[in-house]
Structures are given as structure tokens and as C-alpha cells.
Amino acid sequence: MALRLGDLAPDFTAETTEGNIRFHEWLGNGWGILFSHPKDYTPVCTTELGAVAKMKSEFEKRNVKVIAVSVDALHDHKVLICDINETQNTTMNFPIIADPKREVAGLYDMIHPNADDTFTVRSVFIIGPDRKIKLTLTYPASTGRNFLELLRVIDSLQLTAKHRVATPANWVDGEDCIISPAVKDEEIPTAFPKGQRRVKPYLRYTPQPNK
Ligand code: BEZ
């Protein structure tokens, strides 16, 4: 059955380009992103893995570990890393899971047979410190992902986990937030000392509380 938001991220052991891991132990107490790509030695995948390597410091700032997976063997991942380093102007700096038996792909429902019955689609799982799934995304093989969007979502998830706000369409870190509908009007002066901009009784903006 497909994994849903709020489900516990399944644990597994796997061989990776940085050694064997037990997933939950590897996650530790922080946030994690597990993302699949269809196949090694393919152009879009090569650009995606290079793009994530270049953004590693941005993930680290947010206490997020990233790990990739595909159904290729460890040897192929190691050769792919040389290609990424050569062509993407970066040095690979996060692990890729070798999943030739499709164990991780199966646990996370990353093979969508009506799209391709052999290779994983481009799945993304953002996992919180409680090891629950906070976001899922599925892209087709032909479309490389926008990893800046994942940073944006992490910023929203981390903000809304601590403050009683939600983030509006196209919000980016630093912009006004929406006061959660669960907050009563009379609570606002104390809970949101930076004030509110009231557009409708259900649409109340406030400056980002943690800035
Ligand atoms: C790619 O990464 O370029 C790719 C992989 C599978 C199908 C199509 C494109």
C-alpha cells in the first residue's frame, strides 16, 4: 500500500556508496530526504544528483540528511559518482543506496508499473525527526526535480512545526505567514506580537514569527 503523510517511514538496511546503513539509525534525530531516480548513467539523474550535492550545505543548515536510491548495483553507483563529479562541477557528498533487489523501492512504492515496470520513478519523501512522512512527491522519469522547492518545503515544515502558522502559495522563508485557523482572534495579540493583517476572518497574515 502506498505510504501516506503521517505514516512511519519504513526502516530498512541497505548497502550504500558510503557503507551499509540501517535507515532509522542513519537518520538520527534530524530531518531526512529519501529520493529515488530511475537509473544510473542517464542524463536527468546525473544532473539531479549533482544539483543535490551542490546544495548540501543548505540541507545541513536545516539539519536535513539526504540519501538517494535506485535499483542499480553499488559498482554502477560508484562509476556514476565519477561521472557526476566530472560533468556537474561538484563532488558527490551524500550516499546513494544500491537497491538491485528492489527492497527499498518496494517498501516505499517507488516502482509504478504503469509508468515503468522495472525502474523507480522520481519519488521524494521528506521525513521528520519523529520518522514520520511529512511530504511525498512523484515526478516522471522525463522531468528533473526542482530541489529548491524541497528546501522551501523544509522551511515551511520546520516553521509550522514550531509556530501556529501556515504558509501561503509560493511563500519563501522571510515572507508573511497565515495565522492558523485554530488560533482565536483574542489570542492573536499575545501569540503574535508582531501584529496581524486581517483580510477575511479566516485569512489573517502575520510577519514570520521566527525572523
Ligand atoms: C534520465 O535520467 O535522463 C532518464 C531516466 C529514465 C528515463 C528517461 C530519462
Side-chain angles (χ1 to χ4, degrees):
M1 198 173 97
L3 292 169
R4 294 176 175 169
L5 301 192
D7 289 355
L8 187 68
D11 197 15
F12 55 83
T13 54
E15 207 177 27
T16 84
T17 51
E18 297 186 3
N20 291 350
I21 62 158
R22 179 173 284 283
F23 186 51
H24 281 187
E25 189 185 0
W26 177 85
L27 282 171
N29 297 320
W31 294 72
I33 295 180
L34 170 67
F35 70 103
S36 58
H37 62 275
K39 196 167 158 37
D40 287 355
Y41 316 124
T42 51
V44 177
C45 299
T46 304
T47 62
E48 286 193 324
L49 293 163
V52 174
K54 285 183 196 160
M55 291 166 64
K56 172 118 186 246
S57 62
E58 291 300 320
F59 289 112
E60 278 177 345
K61 258 192 236 167
R62 294 161 173 84
N63 193 25
V64 180
K65 291 172 98 175
V66 286
I67 190 163
V69 59
S70 79
V71 297
D72 300 278
L74 192 62
H75 169 75
D76 288 314
H77 285 343
K78 289 194 169 161
V79 179
L80 175 65
I81 285 175
C82 297
D83 287 0
I84 293 165
N85 293 346
E86 180 193 327
T87 64
Q88 303 303 307
N89 192 29
T90 190
T91 302
M92 265 300 275
N93 48 21
F94 64 91
I96 310 176
I97 296 167
D99 190 31
K101 294 187 183 151
R102 294 157 170 71
E103 288 164 346
V104 177
L107 278 175
Y108 282 82
D109 196 30
M110 290 167 164
I111 294 178
H112 296 196
N114 291 327
D116 189 310
D117 59 9
T118 308
F119 302 117
T120 45
V121 289
R122 297 187 195 280
S123 300
V124 181
F125 295 87
I126 295 183
I127 299 159
D130 58 1
R131 297 176 181 157
K132 303 251 175 85
I133 292 172
K134 307 297 180 189
L135 167 136
T136 64
L137 272 181
T138 309
Y139 274 46
S142 52
T143 306
R145 285 157 286 197
N146 182 338
F147 291 92
L148 292 172
E149 167 64 1
L150 298 191
L151 286 182
R152 192 188 77 85
V153 175
I154 290 274
D155 287 338
S156 173
L157 286 168
Q158 294 184 343
L159 172 71
T160 58
K162 290 218 168 109
H163 299 273
R164 292 200 291 165
V165 292
T167 57
N170 298 330
W171 172 90
V172 289
D173 189 44
E175 291 182 354
D176 285 356
C177 303
I178 290 170
I179 297 173
S180 166
V183 177
K184 295 193 178 79
D185 282 341
E186 53 272 28
E187 293 178 87
I188 291 179
T190 316
F192 297 95
K194 291 179 184 172
Q196 65 162 315
R197 178 164 58 87
R198 190 182 174 86
V199 178
K200 287 275 180 195
Y202 60 84
L203 179 54
R204 304 161 299 176
Y205 289 92
T206 191
Q208 187 170 325
N210 63 349
K211 287 282 167 183

